[in-house]
Every structure is written in structure tokens, then in C-alpha cells.
Amino acid sequence: MRHLLEIDDLTVDELHHVLALARRSTPPQVLAGKGMALVFEKPSLRTRNSMELAVFQLGGHPVYIQGSEVGLDTRESVEDVTKTLAGFHAAIGARVYEHNKVERMAAVDRVPIINLLSDAAHPMQALADALTIVEEFGSVEGTTVAYVGDSNNVTRSLGLAVGMLGGEFRIASPTDYSFGEDDLARVRSTGGVVRTFTDPHEAVTGADVVYSDVFTSMGQEAEAEQRLNDLADYQINANLMESAGDAVFLHCLPAHRGEEVTDDVVDSPASRVWRLAENRMHAARGYLAFALDETGTRVRGS
Ligand code: CP
Ligand code: NVA
């Protein structure tokens, strides 16, 4: 049973294979006549649309389910919801507050579970990030990706993906908002290089990609004011992009313009944010084609 709770649930070879499948123009109909449940406890624009379209392109039928409607652990336990959905669907994607909920879904082990963002990880975003970097530079290997701001779910999955694919990952943040020792060790266990900085200018110097995410993630709204103050020096603006030279700019979106990034950067020629957003769909299709391939045939390098 193939679950994707974090990007390093894939081997490096499998990650390369998924990226190759994402670039294929004829989607295999691995979901023909089948459904995929998409459970969202939090809002979404990109993840919902990209997953629904990817399922459709693979011949399947996506069913969007609002978390409040099923009430994970309030109306019904996570396990009972998972077992019920597994009777209808070939796979379940879930966006949850606590990472533990997708772990419990995976423990049921009836159908593949895909983490569509938890407080700990956002692997489907990392796939699209990697795809966009490959399109831009030919490969992730040899590139330097500088993430500036709060180290969060997006940062963890991105750092792992960059490490797995042979790039250098840098994080610029105040010490309290940086990666913990466990996060650093996990990226290093992939063989990847990860470096932490407190000076954002130093971090982006020589980088190929400058990456940003919101300072306040979904579920952290009560800390918003504190976070805005603490992270104010980590805004990506024209001045910081000057230190980055000819780097491209990426943001998982939604962007809080004027907070972690300024309009002139999001809308600059260096910005690849819309390409990245579209790549969410191609990456999702590539991953589902891989995970739901019933023949077990893995076509490498295709
Ligand atoms: N990047 C991302 O996951 O966007 P949504 O929250 O809109 O799905
Ligand atoms: N870190 C953000 C990512 C949104 C796609 C959040 O969790 O809200």
C-alpha cells in the first residue's frame, strides 16, 4: 500500500520517476471508473483544484468532502471515516490540522492515503516545487534554494525534496522560527546539504531560487500579530531580490502581499509563482499515476 505523508516516503528513484510522469502528455487511465475522496479540514484553492483535475485526467471521479461535514473525530473517528471512504474510493487525500490524522488514516491501510497538507508537511507542494525547478534549471541537482521566513510544513517538504534531488537548501529565519535539529537531521539523512541563516541577504546570495510562504499558517491565526513582528525583517522585497542576483522567485501561495512578500516581487519577471501553481496539477497527476499504477510497471526515465 502506497501512502504519501511526507515526500521522503518516496525513494529518490521514485521521486525522479514521479517528476517524469508529471511531464508526460498522455495520462494513463489508472483511475478509470474509480473515485478519489478529497477531505479538507482547511481551506484550499490550488490543492483542491489540482487534485480534482488530476483525478479527472486519469479517468477518475473526485469527491470533495469538507472536514466540517464529516467531522473527523467529532461526528465519527478518523478510522471509521477512512474505512467507509475506502469502500467507495481507490484513494483518499486529506488536508488536516494535526499530522497524526493522516498517520492514523494510513494505519487503516485499506487504500493509499495522500497528505494534502498537515501542520507538519506538504508533500504535494514539494513535488510541484521540484517540477518547477527542473523545468527552470534542467534539474534540482546543482541548484541552491533559499527559503526565507517561518520554517513550516512547506519548508520541511521542500527541504527534503531539494536534499533528495541533490540541491543545496538554505533557510533564513529568526532562530526561534528555524528548522529544529530533527528537521535538519532528516534533510541530511537524504544526503542533502542544508544550511541555516539569520541574515536573509546572506542566505539568498548566490541562490538560484528564492522561496517564500506566509508567516502565519492556517491554524496559527492567534499568533499572527506576534509573527508579523518577529518576521518583519524576512520579507522578500526588491532590495532582498537584488542580493539574490538573477534568482527566480517561488511562493506556494496564497501570498499575503505586503507581509512576507511585496507586490513588485510577486509580479516581477523573476517570479514563477503562476507556473508553480499550474504545476500542482501536473505533479498531482504524476504522483497519482505512479501510486495507482496497478501493473506495478515503473517506466524509468520516461
Ligand atoms: N499552495 C497550496 O497548497 O495552496 P492552497 O492552500 O490554496 O491549496
Ligand atoms: N504554510 C501554509 C501553506 C499554505 C499552502 C499553511 O499551512 O497555511
Side-chain angles (χ1 to χ4, degrees), residues 49-51 53-54 57 276-286:
N49 278 274
S50 61
M51 291 301 298
L53 265 294
Q57 289 167 0
L276 173 56
E278 181 188 322
N279 276 341
R280 290 294 310 273
M281 177 177 70
H282 304 306
R285 191 179 60 241

Side-chain angles (χ1 to χ4, degrees), residues 127-207:
L127 284 177
D129 297 336
L131 182 61
T132 308
I133 296 170
V134 169
E135 284 180 353
E136 188 70 29
F137 298 101
S139 79
V140 176
E141 190 171 3
T143 64
T144 297
V145 178
Y147 178 95
V148 179
D150 173 41
S151 301
N152 57 24
N153 42 11
V154 167
T155 329
R156 270 191 211 97
S157 300
L158 175 66
L160 283 168
V162 171
M164 289 169 75
L165 295 169
E168 175 177 325
F169 189 60
R170 299 180 184 172
I171 307 158
S173 56
T175 315
D176 289 350
Y177 290 84
S178 193
F179 262 6
E181 284 307 318
D182 287 358
D183 298 316
L184 292 170
R186 191 158 169 179
V187 177
R188 287 180 181 136
S189 75
T190 67
V193 176
V194 55
R195 298 170 64 198
T196 58
F197 297 80
T198 50
D199 179 351
H201 288 273
E202 208 184 313
V204 304
T205 300

Side-chain angles (χ1 to χ4, degrees), residues 43-48 95 122 125 218 252-254 280:
S44 171
L45 176 63
R46 283 143 288 269
T47 306
R48 176 181 176 181
R95 169 168 286 198
H122 198 1
Q125 179 67 50
M218 292 178 277
C252 58
L253 303 176
R280 290 294 310 273

Side-chain angles (χ1 to χ4, degrees), residues 125 129 210-214 249-256 260-261 266 272-273 276-277:
Q125 179 67 50
D129 297 336
V210 175
Y211 200 110
S212 176
D213 185 12
V214 293
F249 172 73
L250 294 180
H251 191 306
C252 58
L253 303 176
H256 292 175
E260 77 279 0
V261 64
V266 179
R272 300 287 182 276
V273 299
L276 173 56

